[in-house]
Amino acid sequence: MVDVCGDKGFDAVEFDNLDSWTRFSNVPSVQALVTFGRDDTVDFATLITAHARGLGMAVGQKNTIELIDDGGAEQIGFDFAVVEECGQYGECEGYAAAYGDRVMDIEYSEGGFEAACDALGDRISIVRRDRLVSQPDGPDYVLEQY
């Protein structure tokens, strides 16, 4: 997948679902099947980031604030972050501390959008969208930018 992006001349990639080890704590029978944790995820992200960088692409962190702590951001070497609902969950400051103004936040609720704008609207890119990413002529279409 990363090689195809490089072959097509992409400038950057971002890897989603790196938070899998966090998703099943409320379902112990499923959590028991998850055989990797944060450290394994940091190691994997470091490998795929190095591979993408070797192909000339920048690499973005997608969500997963847990990867930033304890030197994870430095080890992995992400260049920027694409995050969803950092305002809703009070995580925008953590991403901005790691990536400065290289954070793009997508909020889906008015409250999350307002919280993100109040916290860091002058420092990071913030947009509010509808969850279905509807077309402009659709009844559920939402697009607000700070």
Side-chain angles (χ1 to χ4, degrees), residues 1-6 13-15 57:
M1 171 184 68
V2 176
D3 291 340
V4 170
C5 293
V13 292
E14 53 91 354
F15 302 109
M57 292 180 284

Side-chain angles (χ1 to χ4, degrees), residues 1-6 10-19 23 44-46 48-53 55-64 67 76-84 95 99 102-106 108 133:
M1 171 184 68
V2 176
D3 291 340
V4 170
C5 293
F10 285 28
D11 293 325
V13 292
E14 53 91 354
F15 302 109
D16 201 355
N17 298 319
L18 292 175
D19 63 346
R23 293 185 177 197
F44 176 67
T46 302
I48 58 179
T49 296
H51 184 71
R53 281 259 180 84
L55 297 172
M57 292 180 284
V59 183
Q61 175 175 342
K62 177 74 180 280
N63 297 324
T64 316
L67 292 178
I76 296 167
F78 290 126
D79 300 295
F80 61 94
V82 177
V83 299
E84 295 170 297
Y95 289 111
Y99 301 108
R102 299 177 321 275
V103 177
M104 292 159 268
D105 174 40
I106 301 97
Y108 301 110
V133 192

